[in-house]
Amino acid sequence: MWSERLVSREERTGEKVRDKRTYYTLRDKIVTKKNMHRAAMRVIANDGSAGVDGIGIKEFNKNYKVYMRELYREMKEGRYEPSPVLRVFIEKDDGRLRPLGIPTVKDRVAQTTLKRILEPIFEKVFCDCSFGFRSGRSQIDALNKIEEYREQGYTWVVDADIKGYFDNIDHDLLLEFIKERVTDGWVLDTVESWLTAGVMTDGEFEPTNIGTPQGGSISPLLSNIYLHQFDKEMTERGYKVVRFADDFVVLSKSRKKAERALEVIKEITGEKLKLELHPEKTVITNFGEGFIFLGFEFIAWRYKRPKKKRIKGFKDDIREFTRRQQPFNVKFIIHKVNEKVQGWGDYFGHGNVKTLFKRLDEWTRMRIRSFMEGKKTANQNHRIPTSKLEKQGLKSLLTTLS
């Protein structure tokens, strides 16, 4: 006796079958002590600064049971209200300041509690062209996909830039997009409370009627939900999109098709998402003329290398670590340098960088020799050979390539 195995649509067509269910009631799955504990452990592991209440990770952990019992009751009884986020500024590659919003530890736990349940629901419908802030996907995957499309003949590129993306997300639209999958009123009200909690800057409260602050644990998921509408429509129209957060490129086989793609991009982002493309930073180019994506510069049709500002950033960090007259021994300095070398090499080693890495290794050794001598001298390479630095544990960018 035998039975014929039923063949699924996914096996038959190769098409990914997406779960399109709507979730009406999630509160009881979200607000459980087990889920909240796991969320809190993740927040504590990530560390981070205190929010407007001044309570940091150490204090929260010290009084863990008290804080968690209080948060559990508030969420269970519908009394939870988030605090404003603390606004700080960090410097971008181009020298401009990027605002970050730091929620309180309590609010970070609440956000992670929801995110743990909501993320798998939306992962079932997210498009394959999206790589940012998704489990099992990385910047390297996005870069590899671009090169895969190039090999298939998609050599023209719309390099797009959304003007102030996180600051201009429309709250009503975002909530409507969430409702496509989740209609639980408590979930929607909780998300809206985070969006409208406001920010504190130098002790001054500012309302937030638009946008979502970067820095909250749920912000990456919300940003992906918002731009999923873009991903979905572009891929349904047959365009080759590679997106990482708000940074994306669209690839075509001719300039004419790229020009048409740009018109479609403007239509979707402007009319349907209420977003604006940066007029000076959105361009049509190709792999010969070059473009920059995720810190890499694609050049000369088949090559990619770290963009100049990333190289400068690497050297600036090494200079800072190896400043002379520091109250540290060389072992500590080499440890700090090694951390930078390993991380930078692991990422940018995916480019055409052998010659660049060799040059940067030589320069880094010169900086350490200068630190060891207390000054820069002409014959340091002879006085302190490379083998001595290697014996002290100094890593090389070149070794990250192997």
Side-chain angles (χ1 to χ4, degrees):
M1 185 174 182
W2 60 276
S3 61
E4 183 178 356
R5 186 174 68 89
L6 294 177
V7 180
S8 70
R9 174 183 158 193
E10 185 169 354
E11 291 175 299
R12 191 169 62 250
T13 65
E15 178 186 350
K16 184 176 180 179
V17 180
R18 303 188 185 278
D19 181 353
K20 297 183 179 181
R21 285 181 293 169
T22 300
Y23 293 79
Y24 300 97
T25 306
L26 286 176
R27 185 174 178 176
D28 290 342
K29 292 183 178 179
I30 293 170
V31 187
T32 68
K33 291 181 180 179
K34 183 177 181 180
N35 185 41
M36 293 183 69
H37 173 69
R38 289 180 174 176
M41 290 299 99
R42 184 176 299 179
V43 170
I44 290 169
N46 289 339
D47 203 2
S49 304
V52 294
D53 61 0
I55 298 173
I57 291 293
K58 286 185 179 179
E59 181 177 345
F60 187 91
N61 204 17
K62 183 179 179 181
N63 299 284
Y64 180 82
K65 289 184 178 180
V66 174
Y67 288 127
M68 289 299 293
R69 190 180 300 120
E70 177 187 19
L71 179 59
Y72 174 77
R73 287 174 179 170
E74 288 178 356
M75 296 184 78
K76 194 77 173 175
E77 298 168 8
R79 296 185 292 108
Y80 167 72
E81 292 184 7
S83 303
V85 299
L86 178 65
R87 175 169 285 171
V88 297
F89 295 89
I90 62 171
E91 189 172 342
K92 298 172 67 175
D93 286 345
D94 57 10
R96 293 182 300 165
L97 296 178
R98 177 164 65 97
L100 283 183
I102 303 176
T104 63
V105 176
K106 173 183 170 182
D107 290 335
R108 297 207 292 271
V109 172
Q111 289 185 14
T112 307
T113 297
L114 259 75
K115 181 183 177 183
R116 281 177 48 81
I117 304 301
L118 293 183
E119 194 166 52
I121 291 172
F122 285 94
E123 272 294 326
K124 293 174 182 177
V125 296
F126 282 162
C127 298
D128 292 336
C129 65
S130 167
F131 292 88
F133 311 115
R134 296 180 62 188
S135 178
R137 289 169 167 254
S138 67
Q139 291 175 305
I140 298 303
D141 293 328
L143 294 164
N144 289 341
K145 179 58 70 172
I146 288 176
E147 294 187 308
E148 179 184 320
Y149 285 144
R150 181 195 62 198
E151 294 304 311
Q152 294 173 7
Y154 295 89
T155 55
W156 283 89
V157 180
V158 181
D159 183 7
D161 185 276
I162 299 175
K163 197 173 183 180
Y165 171 60
F166 287 92
D167 295 332
N168 291 293
I169 290 176
D170 184 277
H171 291 175
D172 291 336
L173 280 178
L174 175 57
L175 292 170
E176 285 298 319
F177 297 152
I178 295 173
K179 281 182 188 177
E180 293 179 4
R181 297 286 287 158
V182 176
T183 60
D184 186 318
W186 177 82
V187 170
L188 296 168
D189 288 344
T190 303
V191 172
E192 186 175 17
S193 73
W194 289 324
L195 296 173
T196 58
V199 298
M200 294 290 290
T201 307
D202 297 327
E204 295 288 329
F205 176 80
E206 300 175 31
T208 47
N209 301 315
I210 191 171
T212 176
Q214 296 181 68
S217 58
I218 203 166
S219 293
L221 174 60
L222 296 181
S223 72
N224 272 337
I225 291 172
Y226 201 81
L227 281 180
H228 170 63
Q229 310 302 315
F230 171 80
D231 299 339
K232 183 171 62 174
E233 187 151 347
M234 289 295 290
T235 53
E236 284 176 354
R237 296 193 188 194
Y239 289 105
K240 304 299 183 184
V241 180
V242 179
R243 180 176 69 80
F244 194 97
D246 60 326
D247 195 1
F248 67 88
V249 291
V250 178
L251 298 98
S252 301
K253 289 189 173 182
S254 69
R255 182 177 183 89
K256 184 177 180 180
K257 290 182 179 180
E259 290 171 348
R260 175 55 187 157
L262 180 55
E263 293 304 312
V264 174
I265 293 168
K266 289 179 179 178
E267 174 192 330
I268 297 172
T269 56
E271 297 177 13
K272 300 185 178 182
L273 297 178
K274 298 183 180 180
L275 298 171
E276 181 183 354
L277 296 180
H278 199 296
E280 296 175 359
K281 295 183 178 180
T282 300
V283 297
I284 294 176
T285 182
N286 59 42
F287 282 90
E289 296 171 359
F291 62 97
I292 292 173
F293 188 69
L294 299 181
F296 276 95
E297 180 183 7
F298 287 80
I299 56 169
W301 295 107
R302 303 189 67 82
Y303 296 94
K304 68 178 186 288
R305 65 188 180 193
K307 69 178 185 178
K308 292 178 181 179
K309 287 182 179 178
R310 290 296 185 93
I311 298 172
K312 180 181 181 299
F314 174 85
K315 297 179 79 170
D316 286 345
D317 286 343
I318 298 298
R319 282 193 188 94
E320 181 63 25
F321 297 151
T322 58
R323 282 184 297 109
R324 295 188 286 272
Q325 287 81 49
Q326 290 189 79
F328 304 115
N329 59 31
V330 69
K331 184 178 180 180
F332 177 81
I333 299 300
I334 287 177
H335 171 71
K336 295 295 292 181
V337 168
N338 282 347
E339 287 183 333
K340 183 67 180 181
V341 165
Q342 189 67 54
W344 208 82
D346 285 346
Y347 183 65
F348 287 108
H350 291 270
N352 306 94
V353 292
K354 190 171 182 179
T355 300
L356 171 66
F357 276 16
K358 181 179 179 182
R359 192 167 67 244
L360 289 176
D361 279 341
E362 292 171 351
W363 181 85
T364 299
R365 289 194 291 267
M366 179 274 292
R367 289 293 309 179
I368 294 177
R369 288 174 177 127
S370 295
F371 172 81
M372 294 172 71
E373 291 281 307
K375 61 181 179 178
K376 185 176 180 180
T377 59
N379 63 346
Q380 280 169 338
N381 287 351
H382 300 291
R383 292 163 60 102
I384 306 176
T386 298
S387 59
K388 182 176 180 179
L389 298 180
E390 291 175 344
K391 285 181 180 179
Q392 296 200 51
L394 179 65
K395 292 184 179 180
S396 161
L397 284 170
L398 282 175
T399 60
T400 65
L401 299 177
S402 58

